[in-house]
Amino acid sequence: MQPSPATLKIADQDISLPIIVGSEGEKAIDTRKLRADTGYICYDQGYGNTGSCESAITYLDGDNGILRHRGYPIDQLAAHSNFVETAYLIVYGQLPKPQQRKEFGQRMRENAAIETQMHRLFEGFPKNAPPMAMLSSLVSALPAFHPQLATNNFEQDLQNFDLTAAMLISKVRTLGAMIYRYQKGLPFIFPKDIPFADNFLHMMFSEPYQDYAGIPEVTRALNLLLLLHADHEQNCSTSTVRMVGSSAANLFTSVAAGINALSGPLHGGANAAVMQMLQSIHDEGDDGTRFIAAARSGSKSNRLMGFGHAVYRNFDPRAKIIGKACEEVLTKLGIQDPLLKIAQNLERAALQDEYFVSRKLYPNVDFYSGIIMRALGIPTNLFTVMFAIGRTPGWIANWHEVASNPKGRIYRPRQIYVGPVMRDYIPMEQR
Ligand code: ACO
């Protein structure tokens, strides 16, 4: 049953605002006509309480630590699915049937390689260029190599969506491995006709004279890591993709913008920052007390990295899964990483600390993901690139919702202007 509208009283005017209810009972007040009717806009700095769209991709309940993709709980996907299948689910809305899964994998394998001309773009980068800067530049360059898939016309771009989506997921992964090889001064390794995660490990760690010997636990851990990052509702990078996409920008360009948004340390960059923090605790022989005390100051630059979340006021369900996987993977690989103990102690201490308890600050997905990546041989400066590889399906699905919405509008928030009021231009000699 449609709930009755909300009533907003401004001065002596009663304004009736429709209520929108989502499939999980989430409620919103529809203020779209508010400005036209009253001259008022909604002020919500940082959009923390603004629903910018209706979306059928991911359901997130931050108070209760729930995350579901297309209705499927993240713990079930983590236990039974792998990255490519979950990517299909996120992009297409259904778990694939065998033939659909085969075709999706085939499209990814056929489009995994990076064009030789594009290899030359690498040569322009300094060896120590930030990997996320390289990744976003290279993804920005993809429309130049595939103009037929990047027409900046929704209708045409949607006609080629199956190919573009598979190509992008595949190529972002290939580019990630190539960035690693380039920075190490190693020759590029071409993709093979093997599964997605194995292909990534092959392109990272094979040598021209010797193929990388796959380890099933490593492949599984990589699949889990990517799967857990595959989508997360209207976060900073995904909202960026939607915003850029709303201007009818093609999928490659929109995702390149998302990669840039992800690079910030308060978003995707946090996984590397966690490792730096754990490493300095280790090097100083501290037990983490200094970091916890500094975090209590409330200053943004002293935050306990990997803790807190803009939406979760409870355990990030991904952190629970990844924390457990972290111990298992290290045990299976026979790795004793002192940073794991430090992370576990830090988590215990923070969860007993009044500052963190009262603010409902729990470990987020980044708290343990770095330790797994380190065990897989992935260097810290590539962590955020790994996040981008995992998040690509979510960005694609969100772009698709924007592109295929017949009632879609360009994203254009308003503002409250607080600058100088009208004043006359002053000639240079009178200033
Ligand atoms: N360490 C110390 N204090 C914190 C932390 C932290 N990690 N996170 C939040 N706080 C404090 C805030 O300063 C604020 O304190 P106040 O009420 O005294 O002013 C209070 O907790 C509430 O903060 P929120 O409003 O919940 O935080 P916000 O939504 O602004 O930020 C964010 C969320 C950016 C994730 C923040 O928790 C943070 O900076 N965490 C560390 C970085 C990090 O791990 N980022 C990864 C996020 S997950 C992801 O992107 C995949």
Side-chain angles (χ1 to χ4, degrees):
M1 201 178 70
Q2 184 61 31
S4 34
T7 307
L8 175 70
K9 198 169 180 58
I10 304 178
D12 55 359
Q13 199 185 353
D14 279 347
I15 299 111
S16 175
L17 299 166
I19 301 284
I20 299 178
V21 184
S23 52
E24 290 282 355
E26 286 179 308
K27 293 185 274 302
I29 299 174
D30 183 347
T31 57
R32 276 175 291 182
K33 293 205 177 126
L34 184 64
R35 185 172 174 279
D37 291 349
T38 66
Y40 284 79
I41 62 166
C42 296
Y43 180 69
D44 178 22
Q45 203 262 332
Y47 314 133
N49 196 38
T50 293
S52 62
C53 59
E54 288 180 318
S55 176
I57 305 166
T58 288
Y59 173 67
L60 202 170
D61 174 350
D63 294 326
N64 295 305
I66 293 172
L67 174 62
R68 294 183 203 134
H69 297 314
R70 304 289 191 179
Y72 296 101
I74 191 67
D75 50 324
Q76 289 188 25
L77 293 170
H80 306 297
S81 186
N82 64 17
F83 174 64
V84 172
E85 186 187 65
T86 298
Y88 185 98
L89 169 71
I90 287 173
V91 171
Y92 291 105
Q94 301 294 339
L95 286 168
K97 295 192 166 68
Q99 185 60 20
Q100 293 167 323
R101 170 67 187 79
K102 202 172 142 210
E103 284 167 12
F104 187 52
Q106 185 71 21
R107 274 196 292 274
M108 280 202 267
R109 281 199 286 276
E110 283 169 3
N111 291 285
I114 297 300
E115 300 66 14
T116 339
Q117 258 186 315
M118 211 168 154
H119 287 201
R120 293 201 208 120
L121 293 183
F122 275 86
E123 289 158 26
F125 288 108
K127 283 269 186 280
N128 61 354
M132 285 296 276
M134 290 181 72
L135 185 65
S136 74
S137 312
L138 292 159
V139 173
S140 289
L142 284 173
F145 295 88
H146 303 279
Q148 74 288 4
L149 305 180
T151 62
N152 291 341
N153 172 308
F154 278 155
E155 232 167 82
Q156 282 181 43
D157 286 350
L158 283 172
Q159 272 168 21
N160 293 313
F161 178 73
D162 289 347
L163 174 59
T164 319
M167 177 187 283
L168 189 54
I169 295 171
S170 194
K171 284 201 194 303
V172 169
R173 177 268 328 257
T174 304
L175 288 169
M178 288 171 77
I179 291 168
Y180 167 79
R181 305 282 302 183
Y182 179 74
Q183 294 206 317
K184 294 202 89 162
L186 297 168
F188 294 141
I189 300 291
F190 291 106
K192 291 206 294 193
D193 193 9
I194 55 176
F196 188 92
D198 292 308
N199 222 348
F200 175 74
L201 294 164
H202 157 70
M203 289 188 276
M204 289 279 286
F205 303 125
S206 285
E207 294 304 341
Y209 52 87
Q210 191 172 44
D211 266 5
Y212 166 79
I215 306 168
E217 283 80 16
V218 169
T219 305
R220 255 200 301 280
L222 179 58
N223 259 309
L224 178 69
L225 186 92
L226 296 175
L227 181 156
L228 289 177
H229 285 88
D231 190 43
H232 209 236
E233 214 227 41
Q234 297 312 315
N235 55 81
C236 176
S237 56
T238 302
S239 298
T240 301
V241 170
R242 287 187 87 111
M243 175 162 287
V244 175
S246 77
S247 74
N250 67 78
L251 181 58
F252 298 130
T253 302
S254 305
V255 165
I259 292 171
N260 282 318
L262 187 72
S263 67
L266 297 187
H267 190 13
N271 52 18
V274 170
M275 290 311 279
Q276 279 146 13
M277 177 181 77
L278 296 176
Q279 191 63 52
S280 31
I281 293 174
H282 177 259
D283 296 347
E284 289 169 18
D286 184 25
D287 59 358
T289 316
R290 188 173 72 77
F291 276 86
I292 292 189
R296 277 196 219 109
S297 73
S299 126
K300 272 210 170 79
S301 49
N302 285 329
R303 284 189 168 172
L304 196 62
M305 299 316 283
F307 257 75
H309 197 276
V311 179
Y312 291 118
R313 294 290 175 262
N314 201 316
F315 251 92
D316 177 341
R318 302 166 302 169
K320 271 193 197 162
I321 298 168
I322 218 161
K324 191 161 159 271
C326 204
E327 268 199 276
E328 286 168 9
V329 171
L330 264 60
T331 310
K332 275 183 194 151
L333 297 178
I335 296 173
Q336 285 187 333
D337 189 339
L339 300 196
L340 176 61
K341 269 263 130 3
I342 292 174
Q344 288 168 333
N345 289 340
L346 200 60
E347 174 182 339
R348 216 168 296 124
L351 292 182
Q352 287 167 6
D353 189 287
E354 204 279 323
Y355 176 92
F356 292 88
V357 174
S358 64
R359 286 168 180 74
K360 299 188 177 165
L361 300 171
Y362 293 89
N364 59 48
V365 67
D366 289 325
F367 195 65
Y368 286 106
S369 66
I371 299 176
I372 292 203
M373 287 194 263
R374 195 159 115 122
L376 304 187
I378 294 162
T380 309
N381 74 344
L382 208 73
F383 284 3
T384 317
V385 167
M386 299 303 296
F387 191 155
I389 299 170
R391 183 54 55 86
T392 302
W395 289 330
I396 292 172
N398 275 275
W399 179 90
H400 188 270
E401 275 193 346
V402 170
S404 54
N405 180 359
K407 292 194 186 140
R409 298 182 61 194
I410 190 161
Y411 278 36
R412 175 52 170 95
R414 300 250 172 195
Q415 64 164 20
I416 297 291
Y417 175 70
V418 294
V421 293
M422 150 65 196
R423 47 185 170 168
D424 287 323
Y425 179 80
I426 307 164
M428 181 71 87
E429 58 285 2
Q430 290 172 26
R431 283 177 218 163

